[in-house]
Amino acid sequence: MAFDPIQEDCLRLILELLRREHIYPLDNAAVIERGMTQYQRDPDALVKTDRDRSFHLVAKAAELADYRVPFLTDEDQINKEDDRAEAILREAVELDPKNWDARRMLTAICANSNDEYVSYLLDNRAAVEHDIEKIVESADNPYDEEYAQDLGKRPYLRWLAALSSRALIAGQYKLSLDAARDLLEIAPDDPADVRYTAMLALAKLECDIADLKAFKAEHPRAFAASPIQSRRPDRSEPRQDAWSLLAQINVLYRAFDFEGASHVLRLLLRTYPHTSQALFYQAEFPDGLYARVNVMPGSQDELILAISEATPLLQEGLGAPENAGFAVWLANHELVQSALDEDVAQLSAMVNAARKRGNN
């Protein structure tokens, strides 16, 4: 799944620990375990340089912005935490002006609009790519080489993933797809999960089912071995993620193939728990500042995230009297309504059972 800021911070600091103590080879299990223990106990004790501190601050800002603020309800508390995240990122940029994660996240917070943010990502893309290339070219020892092969490239991958995601929101669907393709060319295993954004962009570009299948075939490593296990397995149907299924439903819906769209909707209902509730309420979840937020594969949280990111698809047809819109079609579909009734009945039965146990 998507990048984990805490895990990455830990990996970076352990690599620097290995460098300081001249440990080689780099897979020394005892030192790595010691570093992980230190990180869990007091990560600040491992921070020795401005570059270390700068990324450590990025991880802290990501925790606040991506994993705390979205779940707050008090407006004053939200504003307070947003201000904290911004201040942390400003310090990170001051410590390391080449920290492109910090600069990107700070711009995302301060930009006046999504279009302005997309323009920033486009204008500075070449500079980020150039810096990553310099990291690779200048690596002349085992520690720098290890960093350059993976950790050093990640800020550029996150840059492209953000560009793809925000371009989709901005209605620049070809740009969104092109950025996704560029990322997948660099990282075929897709650690940024940009393939999901690409499926939504393809749907908005009015492709057909064959185009969706062709894209998956072009990027087998990205789509291989989905960890999602259907709640009610059907051997005749391959396991698929929510983004792919929503893209297929949308494509079939626009082609007026309502029978086909309903068939894929049935697959979606079988794959995720409490799907009907997520499809009915269609809650929006803010884009991750650091990267797409980490959720459990196959969980309702993943489904909610996918539905939120599919908002450009869901909004199709809104305001047109002759077309009630894809969002309304999904929410009111008989399969969704029937499953929703079942969920309500099950919840009612559980509440009644609990009451009976309490009265005994």
Side-chain angles (χ1 to χ4, degrees):
M1 287 298 290
F3 297 109
D4 183 333
I6 302 302
Q7 180 191 65
E8 188 161 336
D9 185 37
C10 182
L11 290 173
R12 283 169 171 257
L13 292 175
I14 288 175
L15 179 59
E16 293 309 306
L17 173 67
L18 291 164
R19 185 199 302 271
R20 286 194 302 274
E21 299 189 359
H22 306 289
I23 303 296
Y24 191 82
L26 301 178
D27 58 354
N28 188 303
V31 177
I32 292 172
E33 185 175 353
R34 170 160 57 89
M36 292 177 66
T37 301
Q38 277 187 263
Y39 187 88
Q40 292 171 353
R41 186 185 305 121
D42 180 17
D44 288 326
L46 288 170
V47 176
K48 302 299 180 183
T49 68
D50 283 349
R51 190 178 80 166
D52 289 348
R53 176 68 178 167
S54 182
F55 190 85
H56 186 56
L57 290 172
V58 163
K60 286 188 172 183
E63 271 200 293
L64 277 176
D66 294 347
Y67 296 95
R68 175 169 168 74
V69 170
F71 304 101
L72 297 176
T73 55
D74 182 82
E75 199 65 34
D76 289 338
Q77 187 67 20
I78 290 171
N79 291 334
K80 180 181 178 181
E81 297 293 18
D82 281 341
D83 289 344
R84 279 185 63 200
E86 181 179 342
I88 289 171
L89 289 169
R90 289 191 184 282
E91 183 183 351
V93 172
E94 289 176 4
L95 287 168
D96 181 9
K98 293 293 186 180
N99 186 335
W100 286 107
D101 280 312
R103 293 176 63 173
R104 173 179 57 82
M105 293 165 68
L106 185 59
T107 302
I109 288 177
C110 299
N112 293 317
S113 67
N114 184 63
D115 287 342
E116 182 180 316
Y117 182 40
V118 170
S119 295
Y120 171 82
L121 293 172
L122 282 171
D123 292 344
N124 291 276
R125 173 180 171 174
V128 183
E129 184 176 16
H130 175 71
D131 281 356
I132 300 306
E133 288 174 350
K134 283 180 62 178
I135 288 173
V136 174
E137 292 169 0
S138 63
D140 58 1
N141 60 72
Y143 310 99
D144 286 345
E145 288 171 1
E146 176 71 20
Y147 179 77
Q149 289 170 9
D150 181 17
L151 295 171
K153 293 179 180 178
R154 293 187 185 187
Y156 184 48
L157 300 183
R158 285 189 282 270
W159 198 278
L160 290 175
L163 177 58
S164 182
S165 174
R166 292 307 186 102
L168 179 74
I169 296 171
Q172 300 186 52
Y173 308 124
K174 187 177 185 304
L175 172 60
S176 174
L177 182 60
D178 287 345
R181 288 186 185 279
D182 289 344
L183 194 160
L184 290 168
E185 184 175 349
I186 300 168
D189 56 339
D190 191 20
D193 289 345
V194 77
R195 63 192 180 279
Y196 298 147
T197 308
M199 294 299 283
L200 301 179
L202 281 165
K204 289 300 296 183
L205 286 167
E206 300 188 358
C207 72
D208 56 25
I209 293 296
D211 294 321
L212 294 177
K213 290 182 178 178
F215 182 81
K216 285 190 170 186
E218 289 171 17
H219 306 285
R221 286 180 59 185
F223 286 97
S226 169
I228 299 171
Q229 176 61 57
S230 176
R231 294 182 303 123
R232 286 172 280 176
D234 182 347
R235 291 182 181 179
S236 66
E237 299 287 352
R239 292 176 293 174
Q240 298 188 64
D241 58 85
W243 291 265
S244 296
L245 292 169
L246 286 167
Q248 290 173 54
I249 296 168
N250 180 259
V251 166
L252 293 166
Y253 167 81
R254 280 191 291 96
F256 302 105
D257 183 356
F258 300 119
E259 183 178 348
S262 297
H263 171 71
V264 182
L265 175 58
R266 190 175 288 108
L267 294 181
L268 183 62
L269 286 161
R270 282 206 300 261
T271 301
Y272 288 87
H274 307 297
T275 313
S276 59
Q277 297 174 29
L279 289 171
F280 182 77
Y281 293 107
Q282 298 175 12
E284 289 194 38
F285 195 86
D287 265 14
L289 201 62
Y290 174 73
R292 175 178 276 116
V293 296
N294 278 289
V295 289
M296 183 69 69
S299 67
Q300 187 185 35
D301 287 342
E302 181 178 77
L303 175 63
I304 291 171
L305 183 62
I307 292 172
S308 177
E309 292 183 7
T311 296
L313 277 63
L314 295 169
Q315 290 176 339
E316 287 181 359
L318 290 178
E322 71 278 5
N323 186 352
F326 182 52
V328 176
W329 181 86
L330 270 178
N332 292 331
H333 196 286
E334 59 181 351
L335 290 173
V336 173
Q337 290 296 314
S338 176
L340 198 59
D341 290 341
E342 289 180 16
D343 285 347
V344 171
Q346 289 176 6
L347 179 60
S348 178
M350 290 171 61
V351 170
N352 289 335
R355 284 175 179 170
K356 288 181 179 178
R357 287 194 298 271
N359 292 331
N360 291 337

